[in-house]
Amino acid sequence: MRDPSPPVYREIAEALRSAIASGELSDGDRVPGENDLMKRYGVARATARQALSVLINEGIVVAVRGSGVYVRTFRPLRRHGPRRLSRELWGGGRAIWQADTADRAFAADNITVRETAAPEHVARALDLPEQERVVVRRRRYLLDDRPMQLATSYLPAKLAAGTAIAEADTGPGGIYARLAELGHAPAHFTEEIRVRMPSPAEVEELALSAGTPVLDVMRTALTSDHRAVELNEMTLDGSAYILQYDFDA
Amino acid sequence: MRDPSPPVYREIAEALRSAIASGELSDGDRVPGENDLMKRYGVARATARQALSVLINEGIVVAVRGSGVYVRTFRPLRRHGPRRLSRELWGGGRAIWQADTADRAFAADNITVRETAAPEHVARALDLPEQERVVVRRRRYLLDDRPMQLATSYLPAKLAAGTAIAEADTGPGGIYARLAELGHAPAHFTEEIRVRMPSPAEVEELALSAGTPVLDVMRTALTSDHRAVELNEMTLDGSAYILQYDFDA
DNA sequence: CAGTGGTCTAGACCACATT
DNA sequence: ATGTGGTCTAGACCACTGG
């Protein structure tokens, strides 16, 4: 047995949800707004709003101020874990993030480089003494002018300080090509993935609409003799990505 | 320049958020409730509620009816992609989901087995003609009685029908051990990961609190001659898992 | 300009938890 | 019994979008 009578706002939300699921309303279509719902169901405005807020927080509709509420469109980008980090790629002078995007306009943005003492979790991941100096590279990635991802790389200052890695432009092949030239070519990677709802700052930087989760991807790059040479913490727009990993039994 | 004056409810939410971030309020602590906020900030109840709803939808606090609002605790389980699917594991008679959990009480639940025509995306993933018959296994996984994951496996009926794979109990080593016995041992895997907010049905089945995203993991198992033998669609409680993948350059 | 969503107030009744 | 969060009404003013 279910709850004998679900609250009105949930029933309204459910009616709209199933209209969307059935295809009666599809991508980009206008959803009945507050005034429609008030009339149609004879409820107060706050109740109509509450119903819509359920769908907004589920990420299946978006509200546009002054215009209306619309079914959300969802066109993710496939990000292929192993293949994109193959040695041929950055060995060939392409930046690794060019792997996924074919001919689309991918760009980096808001690049900053600092040097600081390693935060605790960074020291642990890179197997450094606490307070050891690290080079910190931050940047934002855009696809067709839409922000997709924030990334922060940490590298031991002993390796990276004074090299192109600490410049805004790291040159052809990016950080990994430079590490290879310095005798620290990445050979193994480990990626950890977490999900969560974004902070307000992330909502702004990634231009996220309400109800969009983010993916935290924490990648550690190891040399062939298993020294950790980079930690890259990425925050991805959850509606923009499909992550793919291939491996053998 | 920011917005000249953020709405009151956002400012209240931000004050609470930073109290949590700074550790002033920590895991499980009680957060000021609606009545507190009304007095402290001199706002109407709806405004106090709106402030709290922001944090609830961000998944950083949970509301308990009749009691109060509390800082959420977060203790995820690490799910190791490649290692858990190594052949030794299911070859040795252990179910693969026992890999991650050491000595904790992991259990499967609500097991159903059906046979139907393959839905379109399943036919595509398994490289079958549309409408081909497939065996469909559904189940829910629990860790220490807490629901963690829903899973649905699809296997070609030509392989699986009439075998232990179509029984509720698939026997030692699970589906993969049975496939191996039938000459279809999985050798390669592909996992695709998506994130989204859960449906109401998933909220119920996984006992999710508000503001918790889910992970969709779609795994395809291939034999050494690259025939697809299983598609497993999993829906994980996003607050319960860290996914890990290791690979080489 | 009319219509939309965004914010806010001031009430009300209810179910539930704790004391 | 009191306090908590959950639902709901009936207003109000605002900022923005669109014709």
Side-chain angles (χ1 to χ4, degrees), chain A residues 78 188 192-193 243 248, chain B residues 78 188-189 192-193 243 248:
Chain A
R78 188 175 300 259
H188 311 290
E192 278 186 13
I193 302 167
L243 308 187
D248 298 327
Chain B
R78 187 174 300 258
H188 311 290
F189 298 97
E192 278 186 13
I193 302 167
L243 309 187
D248 297 328

Side-chain angles (χ1 to χ4, degrees), chain B residues 33-35 45 49 65-66:
Chain B
E34 301 176 354
N35 295 332
R45 182 153 176 247
R49 274 183 75 73
R65 192 204 201 82

Side-chain angles (χ1 to χ4, degrees), chain B residues 36-50:
Chain B
D36 296 286
L37 296 179
M38 289 169 70
K39 283 173 215 148
R40 192 175 310 187
Y41 293 94
V43 294
R45 182 153 176 247
T47 305
R49 274 183 75 73
Q50 198 173 6

